[in-house]
Amino acid sequence: MDTLRPFPTLPTTPREFGFYVDGKWQGGRPLFDRASPGHGVPVTRIPKCTTDDLNAAVTAARTAFEDRRWAGLSGAARASVLLRAAEILKRRRAEIAYWETLENGKPISQAMGEIDHSIACFEIGAGAARMLHGDSYNSLGDNLFGMVLREPIGVVGLITPWNFPFLILCERVPFILASGCTLVVKPSEVTSATTLLLAEVLEEAGLPAGVYNVVTGSGRTIGQALTEHPDVDMLSFTGSTAVGRSCVHAAADSNFKKLGLELGGKNPIIVFADADLDDAADAAAFGISFNTGQCCVSSSRLIVERSVAAKFEALVAAKMAKIRVGDPLDPNTQVGAITTTAQNDVILGYIAKGQAEGATLVTGGIVKDLGHGQYIEPTLFSGVTPNMSIATDEIFGPVLCSMPFDTIEEAIALANDTVYGLAASLWTKNIDKALTVTRRVRAGRFWVNCIMAGGPEMPLGGFKQSGWGREAGTYGVEEYTQIKSVHIETGKRDHWIA
Ligand code: TXE
């Protein structure tokens, strides 16, 4: 299947997957069914791996790391594998997008865009593999020369969530591979298919066996065991703040493995009265509805200058009402299904709470009934105060909370009034305001007169409780390396003992 038309249909039977360790597909484990959240019918069957399977995967990754079958190659050789993977992804784009849509519920057109972005990650990872370098000190005197080497950190554990199963994977894997590390991936139990498909892609691209391993199963067993594993050198985790915290404990209690964490967000979109309000309203509606708001960088707090607040909220509500919520397999759909029933309940619970706390429901707040699956209309609350739970908690759904401000200081204070610091968007035509707010809002990603812009050249990651470290681009590769200071003495050495 390499085009979106004809409109793809559901698979007639669920597709059964194996798991992937040491370059071999494995089976024989109990399987669990994953139903499409947009249709309510089983679409995939995924193995419930054991901790022995996980241990075998870590051993395979360790062996592949220590014998230098990957780390020992030149950056150019690693780059050519990554570039071949990018070419294979181009060929398999529609197929991978299809399985992503079925398991996640996101619109197929969006899933295709995410595969394109993932291809770019592999291309940039290839460039980064060739450019990876250290430093030197020629300032230590004529008898001493200093070199700073970057070495791959070793075996990486990668735990990914269900909201962008393939994209988040590809914002990490090419950069981990570029550094020379080997890895064991544990995808979310509800969206494992495309992580397994990437194993096929990497194998065809010529990645040596044992470098990329995938073990599927629950977070509480396989995920937890990976965080605690004494032979894993680094863990990259993307998911909830609660599990992120448990990763920190597990790392401390096992082997002090290095952690990369990308956790929750409660991101502001700040709109000044002088902004192009139509552009900003489009961005506000997009920023909270994209991926049904199940996005760590969703802009869920609208902080808008009071003099235009009512007008702006009306503009956003009008845009939201036009968003096409529908069957994820329909190429015209803009907003698909909520990925899990648990998340659906969480979002509906917050919508009820917002009303109970006294916020005004301007638009949305209702379930869209397509006769199958779970869908929630994009929702806007006005009259929100900073202490309401809809203003403080990461809802992870299409729910935007509007709060007015009068002064720039108040806008900055409201934007920073959160334990998170993942992303922020700012709308103004005034350069002084733009630079002041950009410098003072504590967020890892900042968009001025745009939202969710950029590519995998730019680093991703958060301030405060949104996480540790950065992924993607050259920063992302460096994250998976460690530094060795090498001192080389030349000439005659001064003896300590006479
Ligand atoms: O995440 P979990 P959930 C936030 C969002 C959402 C909430 C809960 O607010 O409502 O988290 O989502 C694995 N040890 N984000 O419950 O449980 C799990 O199998 C090790 C924000 O689904 O954190 C999956 O692979 N691993 C976020 C991954 O962790 C464990 C994206 C994420 O699942 C584990 C997702 C354990 N004890 C949710 N328990 C973002 N930043 O984008 C689970 N896992």
Side-chain angles (χ1 to χ4, degrees):
M1 188 195 334
D2 40 30
T3 104
L4 270 182
R5 291 181 176 71
F7 191 124
T9 52
L10 287 167
T12 44
T13 50
R15 177 168 172 185
E16 194 172 311
F17 284 85
F19 62 106
Y20 188 74
V21 172
D22 206 12
K24 295 179 209 69
W25 288 98
Q26 321 232 352
R29 303 291 172 269
L31 300 169
F32 57 91
D33 283 351
R34 169 63 178 157
S36 160
H39 309 91
V41 298
V43 285
T44 54
R45 308 195 73 202
I46 304 292
K48 227 182 246 178
C49 292
T50 63
T51 47
D52 284 347
D53 297 328
L54 174 73
N55 291 338
V58 173
T59 301
R62 171 60 58 195
T63 304
F65 181 69
E66 298 299 344
D67 71 14
R68 300 188 65 76
R69 70 186 78 165
W70 182 243
L73 299 183
S74 66
R78 287 202 291 272
S80 49
V81 171
L82 297 176
L83 287 174
R84 276 199 296 275
E87 290 309 308
I88 297 163
L89 285 176
K90 285 177 197 167
R91 194 183 78 222
R92 297 185 63 176
R93 174 177 181 259
E95 174 208 351
I96 294 173
Y98 174 71
W99 292 103
E100 190 79 333
T101 287
L102 287 183
E103 283 197 335
N104 171 278
K106 65 180 68 215
I108 186 94
S109 58
Q110 181 192 320
M112 299 280 264
E114 289 170 18
I115 310 302
D116 291 340
H117 193 94
S118 302
I119 291 165
C121 290
F122 273 89
E123 290 169 345
I124 287 169
R130 297 192 73 148
M131 294 303 291
L132 186 62
H133 65 278
D135 203 352
S136 63
Y137 281 79
N138 197 22
S139 56
L140 305 178
D142 270 351
N143 287 353
L144 196 60
F145 183 72
M147 283 195 303
V148 180
L149 301 186
R150 279 198 177 274
E151 297 187 352
I153 202 158
V155 174
V156 175
L158 178 57
I159 298 178
T160 53
W162 42 260
N163 55 338
F164 292 94
F166 198 71
L167 180 63
I168 287 178
L169 180 75
C170 293
E171 283 174 343
R172 286 145 184 78
V173 169
F175 305 99
I176 294 170
L177 293 177
S179 73
C181 290
T182 61
L183 71 158
V184 175
V185 191
K186 206 301 283 176
S188 166
E189 45 275 56
V190 295
T191 53
S192 302
T194 54
T195 302
L196 292 161
L197 292 176
L198 186 63
E200 291 181 0
V201 170
L202 291 172
E203 187 177 304
E204 187 185 339
L207 188 73
V211 176
Y212 177 86
N213 305 276
V214 186
V215 181
T216 49
S218 89
R220 267 199 296 274
T221 52
I222 304 301
Q224 184 74 31
L226 188 55
T227 65
E228 290 169 352
H229 206 293
D231 207 21
V232 169
D233 300 297
M234 177 167 172
L235 181 85
S236 168
F237 171 81
T238 306
S240 63
T241 303
V243 176
R245 186 166 283 115
S246 79
C247 293
V248 175
H249 288 296
D253 291 342
S254 53
N255 60 343
F256 284 110
K257 55 179 68 64
K258 182 179 174 183
L259 292 176
L261 302 173
E262 191 178 330
L263 308 174
K266 189 72 183 175
N267 311 294
I269 172 166
I270 306 158
V271 181
F272 283 90
D274 65 56
D276 181 320
L277 294 186
D278 194 45
D279 281 357
D282 190 71
F286 168 76
I288 193 63
S289 307
F290 177 69
N291 213 48
T292 55
Q294 301 174 120
C295 188
C296 51
V297 295
S298 293
S299 47
S300 51
R301 292 183 301 139
L302 168 60
I303 296 170
V304 54
E305 195 159 353
R306 194 180 303 274
S307 59
V308 294
K311 178 181 172 192
F312 190 72
E313 285 164 4
L315 274 174
V316 174
K319 300 258 181 199
M320 280 180 164
K322 285 197 203 157
I323 293 172
R324 295 186 299 277
V325 180
D327 186 328
L329 287 174
D330 181 340
N332 292 313
T333 291
Q334 289 176 298
V335 169
I338 305 297
T339 304
T340 67
T341 46
Q343 190 58 35
N344 200 54
D345 293 347
V346 167
I347 300 166
L348 294 176
Y350 273 109
I351 291 172
K353 230 186 220 178
Q355 290 169 289
E357 286 174 332
T360 305
L361 185 63
V362 181
T363 188
I366 48 170
V367 172
K368 176 153 181 164
D369 186 6
L370 297 186
H372 53 80
Q374 57 221 9
Y375 300 86
I376 298 176
E377 296 275 7
T379 300
L380 173 65
F381 276 110
S382 72
V384 178
T385 54
N387 57 338
M388 289 181 185
S389 58
I390 55 170
T392 56
D393 300 0
E394 181 182 49
I395 299 174
F396 223 55
V399 182
L400 179 62
C401 301
S402 177
M403 293 177 275
F405 70 87
D406 290 302
T407 64
I408 186 168
E409 286 302 322
E410 210 185 330
I412 293 166
L414 275 172
N416 284 332
D417 185 18
T418 169
V419 297
Y420 298 113
L422 204 53
S425 169
L426 167 67
W427 293 78
T428 178
K429 296 272 186 218
N430 181 305
I431 185 75
D432 294 356
K433 284 180 187 165
L435 281 176
T436 303
V437 178
T438 302
R439 287 186 172 127
R440 293 197 31 213
V441 170
R442 301 191 63 207
R445 269 195 273 180
F446 206 93
W447 292 293
V448 181
N449 294 323
C450 58
I451 198 158
M452 293 191 201
E457 295 87 344
M458 299 282 279
L460 321 169
F463 283 32
K464 300 198 276 182
Q465 290 187 35
S466 289
W468 289 349
R470 294 294 178 268
E471 304 281 359
T474 47
Y475 293 89
V477 181
E478 288 175 2
E479 203 69 43
Y480 294 97
T481 64
Q482 53 193 343
I483 298 285
K484 182 181 281 175
S485 291
V486 180
H487 306 82
I488 302 170
E489 191 165 311
T490 56
K492 178 135 177 57
R493 188 172 179 274
D494 289 341
H495 285 199
W496 185 51
I497 304 163

